[in-house]
Amino acid sequence: MTRITIKDVAKESGVSIATVSRVLNHKGYATEEVKQKVYTAVEKLNYQPNAVARSLKIEQTNTIGIIIPDISNPYFMKISKGIEDVVHSKGYNLIFGSGDESPDKERELLQVLYKKRVDALVLATSGANEELIRSIQATGTPVILIDRRLEEEDDSMDLIQEDNIRGAYMLTESLILQGHERIGVVHGPTNVSTGADRYAGYLQAMRQYHSPVEEELQFFGSFTRESGEKATQYFLQLDHRPSALLCFNNTMAYGMMLELVQRGCRLQNDFILACYGQVEAAELLWPDMISIRQSPYEMGRAAGRILCERLLERGSGPYKETFKPIMTGAQSR
C-alpha cells in the first residue's frame, strides 16, 4: 500500500505544499475556502501526518519516558498511573521501560528513549548511571527522579521520594516495643537510596533502644520475590528462629508470605510480619500484617504536575517533595 504524502494532499486540494502545511499545523493565514479544500483532501485520501518528521521539525514528540525498576510491581504501576492521569489531558503519552534492577539495562533504556527524543524522563534509578542521567538533563531534556535519589545527591534535579529512614525506623520501633528481641530483617540493595535509607532507619531504631544488631538476623535481598523466598528459607533453618520478620520491600514480602504459607506457618503464632509497603495479597495470605502505607499514586500525580511545569509553563524549579510514612496494622502480640 502506497503511503499518502503531503504532496498528494496538495495535488488533490489544488494548493501548494506550504499551504497544506500551514493549514494542518494551524500556523499562518489561509482562507476558509482553502482550509476546507485541504481538510476535504485529507479525509478523502486518509492522510496520516508523519509523526517522526513532525517531531523533528518542532522539536517535540509529546511523549514522556518512564523507567522503573520493576514494571510488574503494583507500587511502580500506581506511580505511573498517577503520572498518566495528569499529563494525558495535556496531550502527552507515556513510554515505559523496566530496568529490572539492572544498571546496564537502565543505561540502555536511557539511551534509547533519549534517541527517540522523548520530551522528558521520569526515573526510579537502579544506580550507577549518574553521569549519563546528568548529561541528558544538561541537553535540556527534563529528568524527574522519583522514589530514588542519585548516589551523589544533586540539588538541581527534581525529586519526589518518601521519608524512607523514618518509615523504617517506625517499623523497627513497633516490633521492639512489642517485645521482640530477635527480629529477622530482609534488606534491599544498599546501592540504591531506598535500600540504603531503610537500612539506616533500621539501625537508628536498634541503637535508640540499645538492641543488638546480630549478623545472623540480617539478609540482604534484591527487591525481588525470589529474594523474599530465599530469606524465609534462611530464617526457618536457624536453630534459634526470630519471632518477627521485617521486610523492607513489598515484592520481597510477597515472596516471604508465599513461602511461609506453603510451609504451614501460622499467623501470629509462628511469626509477626512487618513490611515497608503494602502487599495486596496480604489480606488473604497474612491479614493484620504491620506495614508502612505508601502513596505511589499521589507521588505519580506530583511528578505529573512537575512535568507540566517543566514542559508547558517552563518552570525553573528544582522541585522537591517528600511524602511522610504512615504505619498500619500495628498490634501487640
Side-chain angles (χ1 to χ4, degrees), residues 8-254:
D8 298 317
V9 175
K11 183 178 179 180
E12 178 68 28
S13 59
V15 300
S16 68
I17 293 175
T19 299
V20 173
S21 178
R22 285 201 306 272
V23 171
L24 296 183
N25 289 309
H26 307 287
K27 292 184 177 180
Y29 175 75
T31 66
E32 290 301 319
E33 180 182 359
V34 168
K35 289 180 182 179
Q36 191 56 51
K37 286 182 179 180
V38 172
Y39 293 144
T40 300
V42 166
E43 185 175 357
K44 179 180 178 180
L45 298 175
N46 192 27
Y47 170 65
Q48 301 293 326
N50 188 322
V52 174
R54 183 174 185 274
S55 70
L56 290 172
K57 183 177 180 181
I58 66 175
E59 298 184 350
Q60 182 176 330
T61 62
N62 288 93
T63 57
I64 295 169
I66 311 289
I67 303 178
I68 52 182
D70 183 359
I71 206 166
S72 67
N73 188 333
Y75 171 76
F76 289 111
M77 293 316 297
K78 287 176 182 175
I79 285 178
S80 302
K81 175 62 174 171
I83 295 171
E84 186 175 47
D85 283 353
V86 173
V87 304
H88 186 262
S89 63
K90 306 295 184 181
Y92 290 95
N93 293 302
L94 307 184
I95 301 177
F96 292 95
S98 181
D100 295 332
E101 298 292 358
S102 165
D104 290 338
K105 186 177 180 183
E106 177 183 291
R107 186 180 308 111
E108 179 183 344
L109 287 169
L110 283 166
Q111 292 168 339
V112 167
L113 290 173
Y114 178 67
K115 289 177 181 178
K116 287 187 177 295
R117 302 174 66 87
V118 293
D119 295 336
L121 280 164
V122 179
L123 173 67
T125 182
S126 299
N129 289 309
E130 285 83 356
E131 184 176 348
L132 175 58
I133 294 166
R134 290 191 177 96
S135 68
I136 289 175
Q137 176 163 277
T139 66
T141 301
V143 178
I144 290 86
L145 301 174
I146 194 160
D147 185 62
R148 301 176 178 186
R149 304 184 306 276
L150 297 184
E151 186 174 347
E152 293 183 10
E153 291 192 49
D154 190 334
D155 291 337
S156 69
M157 282 199 166
D158 300 324
L159 172 65
I160 297 176
Q161 63 179 344
E162 298 173 320
D163 189 343
N164 289 282
I165 294 178
R166 178 60 183 164
Y169 179 94
M170 291 166 63
L171 280 176
T172 309
E173 179 185 50
S174 173
L175 293 175
I176 293 172
L177 293 179
Q178 289 182 27
H180 296 284
E181 296 180 355
R182 287 183 61 78
I183 302 171
V185 189
V186 188
H187 301 285
T190 55
N191 64 307
V192 295
S193 64
T194 45
D197 285 356
R198 292 170 193 177
Y199 181 52
Y202 159 76
L203 291 178
Q204 190 179 98
M206 295 294 282
R207 291 165 182 160
Q208 177 70 31
Y209 288 92
H210 306 289
S211 299
V213 177
E214 300 182 47
E215 185 176 348
E216 75 166 358
L217 295 178
Q218 316 298 311
F219 186 97
F220 287 85
S222 57
F223 283 156
T224 63
R225 168 180 160 180
E226 291 73 22
S227 60
E229 293 170 347
K230 290 178 181 178
T232 305
Q233 295 164 9
Y234 167 75
F235 288 124
L236 288 177
Q237 59 83 37
L238 292 178
D239 292 332
H240 187 192
R241 292 180 178 179
S243 59
L245 296 175
L246 171 57
C247 188
F248 283 126
N249 163 266
N250 61 337
T251 304
M252 294 192 300
Y254 178 57

Side-chain angles (χ1 to χ4, degrees), residues 287-308:
D288 301 320
M289 180 177 68
I290 303 168
S291 65
I292 289 295
R293 189 175 73 204
Q294 298 173 284
S295 305
Y297 180 74
E298 291 75 13
M299 290 173 67
R301 288 190 63 86
R305 290 191 295 270
I306 292 174
L307 286 165
C308 290

